[in-house]
Amino acid sequence: MFLVPGFIERFLHRMASPPHFYAITERLMPWLWGIFSLLLLSGLYSGLFLAPPDYQQGESYRIIFIHVPSAWMSLFIYSVMAMAGAIALVWRIKLAEVVAISSAPVGAGFTFIALVTGSLWGKPMWGTWWVWDARLTSELILLFLYLGVIGLYNAIDDKRSASRAVAILALVGVVNIPIIHYSVEWWSTLHQGPTVTKLDKPSIHVSMLIPLLIMAVAFKFYYLIAMLQRAKTEVLVREQNAQWVKSMTEQELAS
Amino acid sequence: MNWQAFFAMGGYAFYVWTAYGITFLVLALNVVIPMVQRRQFLRHLAMKQKRQRL
């Protein structure tokens, strides 16, 4: 590759080989679960118990600790999926194909969560479950993009050409990402403006910001866990005729 | 800490707990489904191998 240190290059090379990827993932999994559980528990504890009620919204604002991190994840995972798709298109790396398609259901889940929790927060605060404004509509389009990626992949039998088709769809859909992000600034809306990413002066109190950030990191680890679970299954299906899968099922039979 | 007040969420219990409930349901499903699929697929592969050996 380019100017990557040797050990990283070796690591990437090993990861790109399916049996190594499978083995490394299995070894990594308990650590990912451990870190995720710790972050989740401390995020929930500080968000639900330690953070004070909001001076305008009372206790209802506590939906923020899942709503905002989920919405961030819906954008983050889409970007990862599109990037993995681009890598798969250009370099034909099988593992990039697997990462791209394994990300889609996780991203769809977070998009769904962002929409539903937003609705449950909107009802008591705005007086309505839904408005067709730019933020909500573009996030709904994101959900359809994810579902389109999943549907397209399942519709094409040859998984290598399915991956290419999916990558192109994901890349076209990238235009939606900045639209979602800037929608609350470009169009007038009921949705509140950015309160956290105004880095110079975030308009959220630190007692609420900390649990929010902990939950955001926890969801990142959750994404790794869920995506890798999908990826393991996907790798097995794709490699079912390879020797390493056969010897693995041999062991399964023996035990 | 008063648990009753905690669960009441200042009158927003329905909204807050439904939001948290749906979130963790979706998160759990997204991890459990691929694990179940993998186990089923491995079992299917093992059966196929057994048949081939006979």
Side-chain angles (χ1 to χ4, degrees):
Chain A
M1 276 192 187
F2 318 106
L3 290 168
V4 250
F7 70 97
I8 293 181
E9 198 184 323
R10 277 194 298 279
F11 176 74
L12 288 176
H13 259 269
R14 277 170 56 105
M15 282 299 270
S17 122
H20 276 123
F21 168 76
Y22 201 91
I24 292 169
T25 308
E26 292 220 304
R27 227 176 304 152
L28 228 73
M29 210 39 93
W31 294 97
L32 294 176
W33 273 112
I35 298 169
F36 167 63
S37 314
L38 281 178
L39 285 168
L40 182 70
L41 288 178
S42 49
L44 288 177
Y45 180 72
S46 53
L48 293 174
F49 289 97
L50 298 184
D54 185 72
Y55 79 106
Q56 278 182 327
Q57 304 193 1
E59 306 284 352
S60 75
Y61 91 100
R62 292 189 196 278
I63 294 175
I64 201 177
F65 299 119
I66 42 179
H67 173 73
V68 169
S70 300
W72 285 343
M73 288 311 288
S74 71
L75 301 180
F76 173 79
I77 295 175
Y78 196 92
S79 315
V80 173
M81 184 175 78
M83 266 190 284
I87 292 171
L89 272 183
V90 176
W91 288 289
R92 303 278 156 94
I93 299 172
K94 282 186 197 166
L95 198 70
E97 295 174 1
V98 170
V99 167
I101 192 57
S102 303
S103 297
V106 192
F110 274 119
T111 313
F112 177 78
I113 291 170
L115 288 166
V116 169
T117 56
S119 193
L120 283 160
W121 194 6
K123 183 61 184 167
M125 290 302 115
W126 301 344
T128 177
W129 299 102
W130 184 264
V131 281
W132 288 102
D133 78 343
R135 173 54 71 83
L136 280 70
T137 308
S138 53
E139 184 76 10
L140 185 65
I141 291 171
L142 186 70
L143 180 63
F144 292 148
L145 280 169
Y146 276 123
L147 297 179
V149 162
I150 296 167
L152 184 62
Y153 187 76
N154 290 331
I156 302 173
D157 276 333
D158 174 45
K159 289 313 168 200
R160 305 239 39 202
S161 19
S163 293
R164 272 197 291 285
V166 155
I168 292 166
L169 174 60
L171 283 170
V172 171
V174 165
V175 289
N176 193 33
I177 297 296
I179 294 179
I180 297 175
H181 184 77
Y182 292 108
S183 55
V184 283
E185 292 173 21
W186 291 345
W187 291 281
S188 77
T189 167
L190 280 177
H191 198 285
Q192 68 187 68
T195 40
V196 179
T197 47
K198 291 184 295 184
L199 281 177
D200 46 331
K201 195 169 169 287
S203 46
I204 178 172
H205 191 262
V206 76
S207 61
M208 300 171 179
L209 181 63
I210 288 170
L212 189 63
L213 295 179
I214 297 176
M215 289 300 283
V217 182
F219 279 4
K220 289 272 185 321
F221 277 90
Y222 168 84
Y223 161 63
L224 275 179
I225 294 170
M227 186 271 283
L228 289 174
Q229 294 291 358
R230 294 262 169 199
K232 275 170 75 178
T233 310
E234 184 67 28
V235 162
L236 274 185
V237 173
R238 285 172 172 230
E239 299 274 309
Q240 53 182 292
N241 295 318
Q243 193 49 51
W244 68 274
V245 177
K246 283 195 176 138
S247 45
M248 209 169 73
T249 44
E250 292 280 330
Q251 284 173 356
E252 200 102 335
L253 277 176
S255 64
Chain B
M1 182 78 221
N2 177 351
W3 285 100
Q4 223 162 355
F6 173 71
F7 285 116
M9 275 289 151
Y12 296 110
F14 169 75
Y15 302 104
V16 173
W17 297 123
T18 311
Y20 275 82
I22 291 175
T23 298
F24 287 105
L25 181 71
V26 172
L27 294 187
L29 283 177
N30 245 339
V31 171
V32 171
I33 289 172
M35 289 169 83
V36 170
Q37 281 174 340
R38 187 165 62 246
R39 191 160 318 148
Q40 281 173 347
F41 183 71
L42 276 174
R43 206 172 298 153
H44 157 82
L45 270 188
M47 294 285 270
K48 213 167 89 180
Q49 238 160 294
K50 216 183 207 168
R51 270 200 306 272
Q52 280 169 352
R53 229 187 291 160
L54 292 175

